[in-house]
Amino acid sequence: SQQGEEDPQALSIQEGENATMNCSYKTSINNLQWYRQNSGRGLVHLILIRSNEREKHSGRLRVTLDTSKKSSSLLITASRAADTASYFCATKASGGSNYKLTFGKGTLLTVNP
Amino acid sequence: NAGVMQNPRHLVRRRGQEARLRCSPVKGHSHVYWYRQLPEEGLKFMVYLQKENIIDESGMPKERFSAEFPKEGPSILRIQQVVRGDSAAYFCASSPTSSAADTQYFGPGTRLTVL
């Protein structure tokens, strides 16, 4: 089954606006992480939220986690053109095989100057 | 403090040739993971290795693909007799332990194109 389904698949906003991306998953998790990937580049780790946490902040990033709904959201406030990238959520399972990340297909965010 | 290094960054092979992808983890990390990203897709786990051991290869095709992480030197992902469907970006990641709490640090990837 596909873990970490993000929506929307693509999001286009103006600089200065906030961007919200959502992620759903199917199984029990140890933690959920968000990564950014600029076009043709590697992944950059943004933030990790544990299954017993509900909200976490890092700079302009705010992540929420609702384990009862098996969903998470990533909010980027006051977006900049440099935030243009694909954003992926990835989960680590609770229990066995909790070393591997299971990724969704990502949200392509375009921030227009 | 060098991050994860991968080479080559781009690799072009003809059908039937072999592809060798190399990954040097962050210094001091002994846990390496390989992921594959098809166009317009997220990353899919392939294999997890510790020094000299394959721990989990459940995401790697049984045929033509192999991986190693020798005591000395980089981790190698080897694809024999490549086919067009192998065209993808292959990412390596490393972590200091296998703990779920550990962040995996990703390399820039190798983009394989099979003609």
Side-chain angles (χ1 to χ4, degrees), chain B residues 6-74:
Chain B
Q6 287 187 252
N7 68 81
R9 294 290 305 277
H10 298 274
L11 183 61
V12 179
R13 285 287 177 267
R14 296 191 182 281
R15 280 179 297 169
Q17 292 184 321
E18 178 180 288
R20 276 186 182 242
L21 288 61
R22 295 175 186 77
C23 168
S24 296
V26 172
K27 189 176 180 182
H29 287 189
S30 57
H31 300 258
V32 166
Y33 315 82
W34 285 91
Y35 294 83
R36 178 165 67 176
Q37 184 179 33
L38 295 170
E40 311 300 325
E41 296 277 330
L43 279 69
K44 296 282 195 294
F45 169 81
M46 296 181 73
V47 60
Y48 162 41
L49 310 104
Q50 293 180 28
K51 281 286 186 181
E52 300 184 273
N53 289 303
I54 296 174
I55 306 302
D56 181 351
E57 56 184 349
S58 59
M60 199 160 66
K62 297 277 188 288
E63 297 181 357
R64 302 188 297 108
F65 285 72
S66 62
E68 62 178 17
F69 187 18
K71 187 176 179 181
E72 301 290 338

Side-chain angles (χ1 to χ4, degrees), chain A residues 9-13 19 21 76 79 83-87 107-111:
Chain A
Q9 288 189 330
L11 179 62
S12 182
I13 59 174
M21 289 160 270
I76 304 174
S79 63
D83 294 329
T84 295
S86 290
Y87 291 82
T107 293
L108 175 59
L109 173 66
T110 302
V111 181

Side-chain angles (χ1 to χ4, degrees), chain B residues 99-111:
Chain B
S99 167
D102 271 359
T103 296
Q104 290 182 16
Y105 296 87
F106 281 80
T110 293
R111 277 152 186 83

Side-chain angles (χ1 to χ4, degrees), chain A residues 30-95:
Chain A
N30 179 287
N31 63 65
L32 184 146
Q33 305 180 35
W34 285 89
Y35 284 82
R36 184 184 74 217
Q37 183 181 35
N38 290 85
S39 180
R41 308 290 290 273
L43 274 74
V44 174
H45 184 262
L46 295 176
I47 196 164
L48 180 154
I49 186 165
R50 295 182 178 80
S51 60
N52 62 354
E53 297 176 310
R54 293 296 165 257
E55 189 170 311
K56 205 158 180 183
H57 297 254
S58 176
R60 293 185 296 113
L61 305 180
R62 173 177 165 251
V63 169
T64 62
L65 179 65
D66 186 335
T67 52
S68 66
K69 295 181 179 177
K70 291 187 166 60
S71 67
S72 173
S73 68
L74 172 67
L75 168 68
I76 304 174
T77 60
S79 63
R80 305 166 182 167
D83 294 329
T84 295
S86 290
Y87 291 82
F88 296 91
C89 72
T91 55
K92 278 196 177 178
S94 59

